[in-house]
Amino acid sequence: MSTDLQWLLIRKYNSFLVKKVPEGPIFSKEPGNLLNLHSHKYSGLANTKTIDIQNSETGLQITTQKSKASPHAVRPARTTATVRNRSGGRRSLGVVASVAKKGYRPDLRAAALGRTSALLAAQKEKKASPAKKVRGKKAAVSTA
């Protein structure tokens, strides 16, 4: 079945749709959707080639679909690359960019880099906020 026909069948009715505001944008929680937007371009269900980037305990998992895999083989049809935690942002962004450079959905390069950098930013530990300095009259009272 073609991807266009698949999209026409699932675009209005699937379990991954998120309709928060009736007149607002429609989002999607499906795996392989990098921007979580409900559109044919970013759909992980309707496209044969998808890039799925997820956060796991070991690091970032970048999953792609093999091009010549059998439609009946689900697990062997996917290739997973893992970028370890704390291996650096440049390394993980390089792995994601290399997928697009090889010609595998180059139109999703910017979205894949954005998702990777967002996941890396979420992994970083927050810095403690500095102590508040007392100013004005309260500072003069406490030092005197």
Side-chain angles (χ1 to χ4, degrees):
M1 184 178 343
S2 72
T3 59
D4 293 327
L5 180 59
Q6 287 177 4
W7 175 248
L8 288 174
L9 293 174
I10 66 169
R11 75 185 160 113
K12 289 190 178 182
Y13 308 104
N14 70 52
S15 62
F16 298 107
L17 289 178
V18 179
K19 297 179 182 178
K20 294 278 183 183
V21 182
E23 64 275 350
I26 300 172
F27 296 108
S28 179
K29 297 185 291 187
E30 63 197 36
N33 192 333
L34 293 173
L35 292 183
N36 292 341
L37 285 176
H38 183 64
S39 69
H40 178 56
K41 178 180 179 178
Y42 298 112
S43 175
L45 299 174
N47 289 315
T48 55
K49 291 184 176 182
T50 59
I51 301 172
D52 187 24
I53 302 171
Q54 292 183 355
N55 203 1
S56 68
E57 294 175 3
T58 58
L60 290 180
Q61 285 190 337
I62 303 161
T63 306
T64 56
Q65 192 89 5
K66 290 181 184 175
S67 59
K68 295 185 179 181
S70 168
H72 304 293
V74 176
R75 176 115 179 147
R78 290 187 171 88
T79 303
T80 302
T82 303
V83 180
R84 292 180 296 166
N85 285 338
R86 304 191 187 278
S87 64
R90 291 183 62 130
R91 179 177 172 85
S92 56
L93 290 174
V95 170
V96 171
S98 69
V99 171
K101 283 181 185 175
K102 291 177 186 174
Y104 188 89
R105 291 294 300 266
D107 58 326
L108 294 180
R109 181 179 184 173
L113 291 174
R115 179 139 185 139
T116 303
S117 59
L119 287 173
L120 287 173
Q123 284 180 356
K124 287 187 179 179
E125 296 176 10
K126 303 286 185 201
K127 288 184 179 179
S129 59
K132 297 280 184 181
K133 295 181 180 178
V134 183
R135 299 170 188 246
K137 294 178 184 177
K138 292 181 182 177
V141 172
S142 65
T143 58

